[in-house]
Amino acid sequence: MGQALGMVETRGFIAAVEAADAMAKSAEVRLVGYERIGSAYCCVSIRGELAAVKAAVEAGAAAGRRVGEVVGSRVIARPHPDLGSVLPVDAVDG
């Protein structure tokens, strides 16, 4: 888990898809997953270099707001290595 972690949480699946698409297109990041939390809430996670993750999260949050509701967004520069063992935020390199 040496790379930054970025997350965008939306209310509604369409906003989550729009956010994920914008994040993937705006910077050199990897989409590592999404979670449907319940009550229409979704969270999309990305990994990459810190500057790229920051830019992608900003773009994703803006895109999500255009079509729905963004509940929150966050960038974690150096997530703890154990985070990937308990949350779906650790991509498999391939």
Side-chain angles (χ1 to χ4, degrees):
M1 272 204 143
Q3 295 189 319
L5 168 66
M7 297 168 286
V8 175
E9 183 178 357
T10 65
R11 184 166 178 266
F13 186 69
I14 299 299
V17 170
E18 190 74 21
D21 183 56
M23 287 192 287
K25 290 177 179 176
S26 68
E28 187 68 31
V29 295
R30 288 186 330 275
L31 293 170
V32 295
Y34 81 98
E35 284 290 311
R36 290 196 282 180
I37 300 164
S39 299
Y41 289 96
C42 301
C43 183
V44 179
S45 302
I46 60 169
R47 300 300 302 269
E49 297 299 321
L50 181 58
V53 169
K54 284 182 179 180
V57 166
E58 287 178 19
R65 280 188 203 98
R66 284 194 294 275
V67 297
E69 180 182 348
V70 172
V71 178
S73 62
R74 187 70 176 166
V75 173
I76 301 175
R78 293 182 309 121
H80 191 278
D82 290 344
L83 194 60
S85 65
V86 295
L87 296 173
V89 296
D90 198 13
V92 175
D93 291 330

